[in-house]
Amino acid sequence: MKIICAHDYQDMSRKAANIISAQVIMKPNCVLGLATGGTPLGMYAQLINWYNKGDIDFSEVTTINLDEYRGLPREHEQSYWYFMHKNFFEHINIRLDHVYVPDGANTDAEKACKEYDEIIHRFGGVDMQLLGIGVDGHIGFNEPGAAFELGTHCVDLAESTIEANKRFFASADEVPRQAYTMGIKTIMQARKVLLIANGKAKAKAMRTAFFGPVTPAVPASILQMHPDLTVVADEEAWSECPEVIGQ
Ligand code: F6R
């Protein structure tokens, strides 16, 4: 596990963008696993900035997103498909037929998840998987208690996740109760994993995920077993980890 401590959100975003950028330069036709949420927004903005300067080319890249709300069509403003297009894909030269997000509009969960795993398999797996982390230690929508051996599957969202995500909807009632997510098995099969985090709210999750026992109670803790994991977080997110802050 490679641990990087950034000063603040902007520094975290630049460092993470550098790592993604290096991946794309080293393997222009790579498969990037991508995440939504507040954490990666600064990183996407930085990558767009470098793209505009001609420093990075996404024309051969394929992206496979972690998750999507079940029941939301692509056009819904809170769908992850919409998020990715608005915040990243529309601003770079990625081919839109190279972009994959689980099909939230397909309410046949078994079919939607099976098709997604087939897509990942068809591309030979993910070269670099980007992850954020939930306040309860979730990754993707793999909530505490999630089995480590699952591929893409349908999950019921935890109350804490509905609570955290309601800021994007008119009310908590409108947050979908289920989602399709890559499973822990899918995530662990990525050749490289890059997890990013910022802010005090994540401090406890960072401590239990990276300096506690590996347990399904903290889904991100399994990442300690990944052979090529990089964690970039700011000082606030590391604030409960003296092992890092003291370095
Ligand atoms: C997003 C995802 C989630 C988020 C996590 C952190 O695709 O799968 O696991 O990474 O909930 O969200 P933010 O970044 O909003 O704190």
Side-chain angles (χ1 to χ4, degrees):
M1 166 163 69
K2 175 134 195 56
I3 285 179
I4 299 174
C5 183
H7 308 300
D8 53 21
Y9 180 71
Q10 201 193 347
D11 190 32
M12 178 209 75
S13 301
R14 276 179 73 89
K15 285 183 161 67
N18 264 304
I19 293 168
I20 297 277
S21 177
Q23 171 67 46
V24 173
I25 290 167
M26 297 300 281
K27 187 177 177 190
N29 64 346
C30 66
V31 177
L32 295 179
L34 295 180
T36 61
T39 315
L41 282 174
M43 188 202 81
Y44 290 140
Q46 182 63 73
L47 288 169
I48 292 166
N49 182 274
W50 286 336
Y51 165 72
N52 286 330
K53 289 182 175 156
D55 288 340
I56 179 164
D57 173 17
F58 293 94
S59 61
E60 292 178 56
V61 170
T62 297
T63 64
I64 301 191
N65 259 75
L66 270 176
D67 42 20
E68 178 61 283
Y69 288 116
R70 179 177 184 224
L72 286 197
R74 288 177 160 191
E75 313 73 51
H76 192 288
E77 283 190 13
Q78 295 309 330
S79 80
Y80 286 175
W81 191 93
Y82 188 93
F83 175 103
M84 289 307 301
H85 283 74
K86 186 163 113 314
N87 293 301
F88 194 35
F89 300 148
E90 278 174 10
H91 309 281
I92 57 172
N93 65 335
I94 194 153
R95 285 178 46 174
L96 293 182
D97 60 340
H98 280 191
V99 159
Y100 296 89
V101 180
D103 184 2
N106 183 355
T107 49
D108 181 340
E110 202 176 317
K111 190 156 178 279
C113 295
K114 186 163 172 278
E115 280 174 6
Y116 208 60
D117 277 341
E118 281 166 5
I119 291 167
I120 298 169
H121 188 70
R122 177 152 34 96
F123 286 103
V126 171
D127 287 302
M128 179 174 276
Q129 177 66 54
L130 174 74
L131 298 173
I133 184 169
V135 289
D136 59 359
H138 72 234
I139 46 177
F141 271 123
N142 296 283
E143 304 280 9
F148 284 160
E149 66 274 14
L150 290 179
T152 305
H153 61 290
C154 182
V155 290
D156 295 330
L157 303 195
E159 271 311 315
S160 60
T161 303
I162 294 169
E163 192 55 29
N165 290 3
K166 75 175 185 200
R167 65 191 194 272
F168 302 115
F169 292 82
S171 71
D173 288 345
E174 289 190 21
V175 184
R177 268 30 190 182
Q178 288 187 312
Y180 299 141
T181 185
M182 280 187 194
I184 304 268
K185 184 174 94 179
T186 335
I187 291 169
M188 289 298 281
Q189 282 171 344
R191 283 180 271 283
K192 295 179 199 154
V193 174
L194 169 62
L195 185 139
I196 58 176
N198 72 288
K200 268 248 177 274
K202 301 290 172 69
K204 185 170 163 288
M206 295 299 280
R207 151 126 233 105
T208 53
F210 300 112
F211 296 97
V214 174
T215 162
V218 184
S221 65
I222 187 69
L223 297 172
Q224 294 177 37
M225 315 286 285
H226 193 281
D228 195 340
L229 167 70
T230 303
V231 186
V232 184
D234 71 355
E235 286 167 8
E236 286 192 351
W238 287 126
S239 60
E240 289 189 30
C241 301
E243 300 86 341
V244 178
I245 287 295
Q247 276 174 8

